[in-house]
Amino acid sequence: MHPTDLRKLFADAAGHAAMYRQSLSERRVRSPKPFSEVGADFRRPLGDAPRPADEVVDELVALAEGGIVASAGPRYFGFVTGGALPAATAAEILAAGWDQNAMSSILSPAAAAAEQAAADWLKDLLGLPSTASAGFVTGAQGANTVALAAARNHVLAQAGWDVETDGLMGAPRVRILAGDERHATIDRSLRLLGFGSGCLELIRTTANGVIDLDDLRGRLAGQTGPLIVCLQAGNVNTGHSDALGPAAEIVHEYDGWVHVDGAFGMWAALSPELRDQVAGLELADSWGCDGHKWLNLPYDNGFVFTAHPDAHASALAYTASYLVSSGEREPGDYAMESSRRARGLAAWAGLQELGRDGLREVVDRCCVLARRFAEQLAAAGCEIGNDVVLNQVLVSYGDDAETDAVIADVQRAGVCWMGGTTWRGRRYMRISVSNHLTTERDVDQSVESILAARSMLPQTTTGRRPAERAPSSAGPE
Ligand SMILES: *Cc1c(COP(=O)(O)O)cnc(C)c1O
């Protein structure tokens, strides 16, 4: 391809992305077409002959437009979703353009260097030990898996068992505990590591989904042998965090490994107002954190840290005759993948772009806006299902069917997008404020759309008391 044509091709692609980003605030949030239609649009015969690159990209843009969700925008409140920061997005474009392999510092000194620098900043921001090992992974699922692999290596080594050589068959039993409100990715990580989900012992949780310390203490009484306990910073429904410090101290009395799944909740550590919610975070043995949620990096970006670099590398690293190391930290020794994208570039750029104050401001603002949602909806007679202490809000609009009807209507209207959840046996709208672009105006517009949807419910009387609610139509969950 001619150099000017290549420049035009890349510039046009970036131009499409920029135009899209600039339209986010005005766009309908939901996908213009459902998957069934977009799927049919994409499914066409693969030709035999090569085609010009620009023609292919133009066609891709035209087809994809029907199925793009404005999840990067300021009124997407589904799941826990950030919108990639400008410099981080540009860095991601460069990562693709440079096509670097972040496996080793020989393959790409720049990719390895960006990771190393970003890892140091992240540990400092989150208050983790500066000696902790860091791996750049796809998200909290990847982080939980890598962290628990390190945990498996460490607690079995303490029992005189080399799991990397001898595997799990015949190994001493590892006791694994987690709250009954843990994120479902913990179960999947354990399954992948050869611990069936039936190995997991559940710790009771209290009203906002945090573990009951007395239950943890009671279960561990008399404990001996390998032990892993998974804690959580930021429950996906309520935003609440386990009492990390006290829980870690209890587990450490029994020489257990404490893992914290802090996909988004760990960022509370940044804010003087919120920090108490994750007090003792630094006492854990490993941490899983997302980059593409509250840090607003592009997909896919997550981080795993451990206080035991040797266990981390022993669980993950591999060698081969043709692989050489520069003698420095090798990125591939701390992640599951071998070859992979240079994720550290976007992390480096996003952190520099926001700076310490900017990131703290995003976290604080999201929490203020979550409270604004809760206050306005409560004032209009809606029922808030959690104590809003972070960026998550649960809202009910009556019985389960009424709540689901409001959620569906709001999604259809497209001003904003929120999903539903089942919490303590009831349906709720789940609002997560995690995007750096979201403003008070976005919240107010969204509340207006929600209240309009609620007013469409048959025989709605605002402010009905729970006793007047129709019985739930849903079975037990
Ligand atoms: C989102 C989330 C995960 C999974 O993260 P991915 O980014 O989807 O891999 C795990 N745990 C918690 C608490 C989460 O919020």
Side-chain angles (χ1 to χ4, degrees):
M1 194 173 215
H2 192 277
T4 42
D5 292 342
L6 190 62
R7 262 214 300 276
K8 183 168 178 344
L9 181 75
F10 287 0
D12 284 354
H16 278 299
M19 267 163 41
Y20 167 73
R21 286 296 181 90
Q22 280 164 347
S23 75
L24 277 172
S25 200
E26 283 79 54
R27 248 173 202 269
R28 276 196 195 292
V29 180
R30 65 169 157 75
S31 169
K33 294 182 184 179
F35 168 70
S36 55
E37 287 174 36
V38 184
D41 293 345
F42 269 82
R43 197 178 285 129
R44 51 185 60 194
L46 178 63
D48 291 323
R51 295 173 60 191
D54 57 349
E55 188 187 303
V56 173
V57 174
D58 285 348
E59 191 175 313
L60 178 65
V61 169
L63 292 174
E65 262 166 10
I68 300 279
V69 176
S71 53
R75 290 188 306 281
Y76 189 85
F77 303 103
F79 309 96
V80 182
T81 305
L85 291 156
T89 304
E92 195 63 59
I93 293 172
L94 287 169
W98 287 330
D99 196 21
Q100 295 292 284
N101 185 340
M103 177 173 82
S104 85
S105 60
I106 301 278
L107 266 159
S108 178
E115 273 195 16
Q116 193 162 39
D120 286 345
W121 298 335
L122 287 163
K123 286 187 280 184
D124 185 41
L125 285 165
L126 294 164
L128 306 184
S130 60
T131 50
S133 55
F136 283 63
V137 292
T138 50
Q141 170 79 77
N144 287 338
T145 308
V146 169
L148 291 169
R152 184 179 73 161
N153 175 289
H154 183 83
V155 299
L156 282 170
Q158 281 178 321
W161 186 267
D162 176 357
V163 71
E164 311 310 332
T165 305
D166 298 322
L168 280 177
M169 277 184 265
R173 200 178 89 86
V174 181
R175 202 167 162 208
I176 308 173
L177 284 80
D180 62 20
E181 279 293 334
R182 74 212 169 279
H183 195 271
T185 51
I186 292 286
D187 299 54
R188 178 152 73 165
S189 297
L190 291 172
R191 263 163 46 209
L192 290 168
L193 290 166
F195 299 114
S197 46
C199 293
L200 193 53
E201 214 178 305
L202 299 184
I203 309 162
R204 196 170 58 229
T205 56
T206 57
N208 282 290
V210 306
I211 61 163
D212 177 343
L213 288 177
D214 289 335
D215 193 42
L216 172 67
R217 212 177 274 115
R219 284 172 185 282
L220 291 184
Q223 154 73 27
T224 55
L227 170 70
I228 299 171
V229 177
C230 303
L231 304 177
Q232 183 163 257
N235 175 290
V236 280
N237 284 312
T238 68
H240 285 245
S241 297
D242 291 334
L244 302 175
E249 279 169 9
I250 295 169
V251 177
H252 285 158
E253 279 172 36
Y254 299 95
D255 273 339
W257 177 294
V258 175
H259 172 62
V260 175
D261 175 3
F264 65 96
M266 270 170 80
W267 293 109
L270 243 68
S271 159
E273 269 105 80
L274 306 171
R275 193 169 289 154
D276 282 354
Q277 296 180 30
V278 292
L281 177 69
E282 70 284 358
L283 299 178
D285 297 278
S286 58
W287 302 265
C289 186
D290 258 313
H292 49 229
K293 288 182 178 170
W294 227 348
L295 183 53
N296 282 259
L297 296 183
Y299 292 103
D300 42 19
N301 264 294
F303 320 106
V304 55
F305 305 96
T306 86
H308 307 273
D310 290 344
H312 189 167
S314 302
L316 274 297
Y318 73 99
T319 53
S321 57
Y322 60 91
L323 293 176
V324 283
S325 166
S326 61
E328 298 288 331
R329 170 190 181 274
E330 288 304 340
D333 291 350
Y334 301 94
M336 269 184 301
E337 297 83 5
S338 182
S339 299
R340 69 194 163 88
R341 202 174 80 248
R343 290 196 184 89
L345 300 174
W348 191 96
L351 287 166
Q352 282 286 334
E353 182 176 18
L354 281 178
R356 210 175 275 278
D357 291 345
L359 184 51
R360 186 185 305 136
E361 191 275 330
V362 169
V363 168
D364 280 333
R365 171 158 43 94
C366 287
C367 296
V368 168
L369 294 177
R371 281 203 300 276
R372 188 179 182 91
F373 262 119
E375 282 158 15
Q376 293 192 9
L377 291 169
C382 310
E383 184 192 333
I384 307 302
N386 62 321
D387 295 331
V388 179
V389 295
L390 206 67
N391 61 332
Q392 305 290 119
V393 189
L394 299 176
V395 198
S396 157
Y397 302 97
D399 64 24
D400 288 355
E402 288 172 319
T403 296
D404 280 337
V406 172
I407 294 168
D409 236 39
V410 167
Q411 291 177 355
R412 224 175 357 253
V415 173
C416 53
W417 200 99
M418 290 82 168
T421 189
T422 301
W423 172 249
R424 303 301 199 213
R426 277 186 65 195
R427 295 291 294 160
Y428 288 93
M429 172 186 274
R430 190 172 159 283
I431 302 173
S432 176
V433 189
S434 315
N435 189 305
H436 69 103
L437 297 171
T438 306
T439 62
E440 290 183 352
R441 200 179 122 71
D442 292 306
V443 172
D444 298 351
Q445 270 179 278
S446 302
V447 167
E448 201 177 303
S449 177
I450 292 168
L451 295 180
R454 191 185 61 154
S455 73
M456 303 294 283
L457 288 175
Q459 310 141 6
T460 289
T461 53
T462 49
R464 282 184 304 175
R465 292 192 311 277
E468 294 165 337
R469 239 188 277 120
S472 158
S473 57
E477 302 266 341

